[in-house]
Amino acid sequence: MEMVKIVSLEEGDILEEKGDYIILSGYLVCKAFRQLIYFTQTGDFISTEVASSYSAVHYEAKSPVHLMHISTDSEKVVELRDTLHQKIMACSMRRLDIFLGTVEERLSALLYQAGIEMGVLQKDNSCVLPYMITQKEMAEYIGCTREYLFGIRRKLIKQGKITDSRAWTLLEWDEWKRDAILLYGETAFIN
């Protein structure tokens, strides 16, 4: 009988062990250098083998994380790796495309991406983002200062697009979705 290997990471740790994993709990971000590629959540398949085939792509824990190591090369795992290859490439291309927009558009795209990939939809048509990236990181991801990011945040609050709270809660989720489709196309943010 094969033993199940569980890997635990603390917030800020980089997943260094080679292999294929299922996320049992917690959040990771897939990054290239210091740039965000995509967010992960419980139940997602990740592979350091796939990530390492791209230059400087890695997974960083944004909360305490528990992963289950998959020690088989079954057809399903090979299929999951192929899908992950496609996802990393598509998300990388999307990041490049997003950087052609204004800082405000880049922030909206990042918030929408976070909503799609890890947000919790509420009955009132809002989307609550778990706290997993700092405002400093967010500013780095969209290419601005924290002060400028704070100004955009105030503007979004005045426009009624987000709540005035410490958490990032996106109001009128359907409008966020419509705006993202208008700017980037229907398939740009498929999770």
Side-chain angles (χ1 to χ4, degrees):
M1 186 167 130
E2 192 173 317
M3 295 292 295
V4 174
K5 180 179 176 185
I6 304 297
V7 175
S8 297
L9 301 172
E10 294 300 318
E11 184 175 343
D13 289 350
I14 306 270
L15 178 59
E16 309 242 357
E17 291 186 45
K18 297 289 184 208
D20 303 312
Y21 300 90
I22 298 292
I23 301 171
L24 299 176
S25 65
Y27 295 103
L28 294 150
V29 289
C30 179
K31 295 170 86 173
F33 298 101
R34 292 184 350 214
Q35 280 300 312
L36 170 78
I37 302 297
Y38 71 93
F39 299 95
T40 69
Q41 62 180 321
T42 301
D44 284 353
F45 170 84
I46 62 171
S47 174
T48 57
E49 302 292 334
V50 172
S52 67
S53 66
Y54 296 93
S55 178
V57 172
H58 61 277
Y59 293 96
E60 179 182 328
K62 300 310 285 180
S63 68
V65 175
H66 298 289
L67 307 162
M68 179 177 62
H69 183 260
I70 301 170
S71 60
T72 179
D73 275 339
S74 69
E75 282 184 45
K76 181 66 177 169
V77 171
V78 171
E79 183 181 312
L80 288 169
R81 282 187 202 133
D82 288 342
T83 301
L84 186 58
H85 266 291
Q86 293 169 9
K87 180 177 185 170
I88 289 172
M89 187 59 107
C91 289
S92 297
M93 294 293 102
R94 178 180 64 214
R95 291 290 299 161
L96 289 173
D97 189 38
I98 286 169
F99 264 89
L100 295 174
T102 66
V103 176
E104 290 86 356
E105 290 170 343
R106 293 193 302 258
L107 177 59
S108 291
L110 176 63
L111 293 173
Y112 182 72
Q113 177 183 358
I116 287 286
E117 294 175 352
M118 57 158 196
V120 178
L121 295 178
Q122 306 296 308
K123 290 180 182 178
D124 66 355
N125 194 33
S126 65
C127 181
V128 178
L129 306 182
Y131 181 76
M132 64 180 272
I133 58 175
T134 65
Q135 287 194 10
K136 179 182 177 192
E137 289 173 306
M138 203 175 277
E140 285 178 9
Y141 294 157
I142 65 171
C144 73
T145 64
R146 284 183 6 194
E147 293 76 17
Y148 194 81
L149 174 69
F150 186 71
I152 299 170
R153 180 179 169 87
R154 280 191 310 227
K155 184 177 176 183
L156 290 173
I157 291 168
K158 283 182 184 175
Q159 293 173 344
K161 296 190 97 153
I162 63 174
T163 59
D164 185 8
S165 66
R166 187 170 187 267
W168 289 86
T169 301
L170 313 180
L171 302 172
E172 302 302 328
W173 179 247
D174 293 336
E175 288 182 29
W176 282 87
K177 186 176 186 177
R178 185 198 71 229
D179 293 346
I181 290 170
L182 288 173
L183 279 173
Y184 302 106
E186 278 206 46
T187 58
F189 288 94
I190 293 176
N191 189 12

